Amino acid sequence: MNDIRRSILWVVFGFSMVLIWDKWQIHNGQKPTFFPTAAVTAPADGKPAAPATDGSVPAASSAVPAGAAAGIAPAGAPAPAPAGQRVDVSTDLFKLTFNTEGGSLIGATLLQHASKQLGTAPIELLTQTPEHTYIAQTGLIGGAFPTHKTPMTLVPGATALVDGQNELQIRFESADVGGVKLVKTYTLKRGSYVIGVSHEVANTGAAAVSPQLYVQLVRDGATGASETPFYSTFTGPAVYTNEQKYQKVEFKKIDENKVDIVKTTSDGYVAMVQHYFASAWLLAEGTARDNFVRKVDNNLYAVGSITTLPAVAPGQSQKVDARLFVGPQDEHVLEATAPGLELVKDYGWLTILAKPLYMLLSTIHGFVANWGWSIVLLVVLLKAAFYWLNASAYRSMAKMKAINPRITEMRERLKSNPQAMQQEMMKIYREEKVNPLGGCFPIMIQIPVFIALYWVLLSSVEMRNAPWMAWITDLSTKDPFFVLPAFMTLTTIVQTALNPLPPDPLQAKMMWMMPLMFSVMFFFFPAGLVLYWITNNVLTIAQQAFINHKMGVPLKITNPFELFKK
C-alpha cells in the first residue's frame, strides 16, 4: 500500500472488527473467538443454582487439626438447622436483611441508588433468592464451633436508625457449640457504607480452644445487567495485598482450578466486584490470615479470609473485629475506607492516566454540578492541552488533502507501472514537503489519554442515574431516542470528509464505511460515553476546518454517494 497511514488505519479497522465479532459471539451465547473472557457456568437444567449447603463452610487452614476440612462438620457437630428467621434493619443508606441462621447478611438494598433508571426501586446489591445469590457470612472453624449455619438469637433492640441517632448495633448470639459461644455485633453508622462486625468468642468449656474465624462473600456467576453486546466489565472475586496488589479472579479460572492469589498475608482485603458496586471484607492491618477463592456449588463462588485466634482459656473470651464494605464504587469513599480499596474500580492498564482524569472530572463537577457538562468541559480542556500537537497533525492532513488530486491523477496515469507510481509519489511528497506519517504520530500519542477517559466514564458510578439535560436522564444508559448516537455518526462522517481520502477507490470506500460501522456500537453505549465522543468530534472538526482554511485548502465535503457509484 502506498500510503503508510492507510496501513495503520486498516490495522485499526481489522482490530475493531475482531472486537465486534467477539462481542457478537458473546451476545449470542457463544464463546468469544479471539479474546476469551470469564464464562458463567449455568446449571445443566438451566434452572437457578440451589442455595449453598454445608459445603459453604470453608476448610480450616493447615494450622488447625483437620476436622472441618472440605467444609465437612467434625464428629459430634450438630446437624444443619433449618433456615432461620429474617431480620430487617434500616439506616439512611441501607435496608439490610440478616438471617438468624449464623447471623449472616443476606440482603443489602442501597437506598440512594436506583436499580435501573432514576426513580425506580433501589438496587438490591446483596440478596438471596432462587434467581440470585450474593451474601456475606462469617463463622468459626477448626472444631465443633459455631459457623454461618448455626442458629443464633437476635438480642432485643432497635432495628432502625432514627433521626438524631448516629449509630445502630445489631447483636446475634449463638448457643454453646463445642464449648464455644459466638457473639456477632454489627455496627451501622449514619452516612457510611462500612459496617463494623465484631466477633466475640467465649470459651464455655473446660479446655483451651484455638478456633479460626472466617469471613467470606458468596455470589453466583451472573454478570451485571448494565452490560451490552459491545462492552463488558469485570464481575467476580478480587484479592488485594501489599505483595501483589490487586488480583482479579475470573469465575472461569475458579471452575478450572487455576486460581493464583497471595494466600498468606497480614494486610489487604478480599472483595466481590461488579459494575459500579462492590463488597469487601477488611480485617485489621497486621492480622495474619489465609485468603481463599473457591467454588461452593454449581455456579456459586466464595472469596474470603481465615484468621487464627489466640488460645482462649476456659472462662475467657477473645474479640476479633472486621469491617464489611457494601456499596458503590465511589473513588473518594473507597480511598478513605482502606488502602487499595479504590482499585475495585478497575481502570485496567491505564490506571496511571485514568485516576488523574477522574480527579479532574470530579473537580470540574464541583463547579458545574452536572456530570454531562463536566464531561464536555473535560474534553474541551484535553483538546486545549493537545491543541498544538493536534495542529501539527491537521496541517499534515491538510497538505495531504491539497495534493490528493495530483496523486489521484498520477495513479491513474501510472496504474500499469507500480514501481514508477511509487517513485513519482515519493517525489511529490518531497516537492510538497509532506510527511505521510505526519498526521499519525501526534494523534497516536493522545490515544492512551482518550482510552483512559473512556474507562473513567464507563467505570464511574457517578454517571449512574446522573441526568444531563432534556431527555438524557441517565448518563450510564443508552440514549432512549438514539439522538446522540445519530449525531455522533454525523460528526464522524463530517470528520472523515475533512480528512484526505486514499487515492485508491476501494480504500476510499472503506474509509467511508468505517465510521458508519463503528457508530453502530455507540447506539448501545452509555449516553455519557457518546457525549464525550461527540464533543471530541465537534472540536476536532472545528480545529481541522480552521487549519484547512488557514492553509488555503478548500473546505469541500466529499459526496460519498458519488464515490460508491464508481
Side-chain angles (χ1 to χ4, degrees), residues 84-201:
Q85 297 179 338
R86 297 165 66 93
V87 178
D88 292 329
V89 176
S90 60
T91 72
D92 57 323
L93 298 181
F94 288 123
K95 179 183 178 183
L96 302 176
T97 301
F98 295 92
N99 194 330
T100 57
E101 181 186 58
S104 299
L105 181 59
I106 63 171
T109 299
L110 309 185
L111 300 178
Q112 296 188 2
H113 292 269
S115 56
K116 296 180 181 178
Q117 287 78 23
L118 192 64
T120 59
I123 185 171
E124 294 182 13
L125 185 57
L126 301 189
T127 185
Q128 189 174 37
T129 66
E131 294 78 24
H132 183 41
T133 297
Y134 186 3
I135 55 181
Q137 302 168 331
T138 70
L140 301 177
I141 50 178
F145 303 137
T147 69
H148 68 268
K149 305 296 291 183
T150 302
M152 303 187 81
T153 302
L154 173 68
V155 177
T159 57
L161 190 68
V162 298
D163 292 341
Q165 184 181 4
N166 292 321
E167 186 174 290
L168 175 66
Q169 289 191 337
I170 307 297
R171 187 180 177 94
F172 293 93
E173 294 182 355
S174 77
D176 187 327
V177 180
V180 170
K181 178 180 179 180
L182 175 62
V183 178
K184 293 185 188 179
T185 303
Y186 292 88
T187 301
L188 308 169
K189 294 184 178 181
R190 182 175 298 277
S192 177
Y193 287 104
V194 179
I195 303 171
V197 187
S198 172
H199 302 83
E200 187 176 350
V201 181

Side-chain angles (χ1 to χ4, degrees), residues 461-483:
V461 70
E462 292 87 348
M463 302 299 125
R464 198 172 186 273
N465 303 140
W468 176 38
M469 65 175 189
W471 73 99
I472 302 298
T473 58
D474 189 345
L475 290 167
S476 71
T477 60
K478 64 183 180 182
D479 183 338
F481 303 112
F482 303 108
V483 175

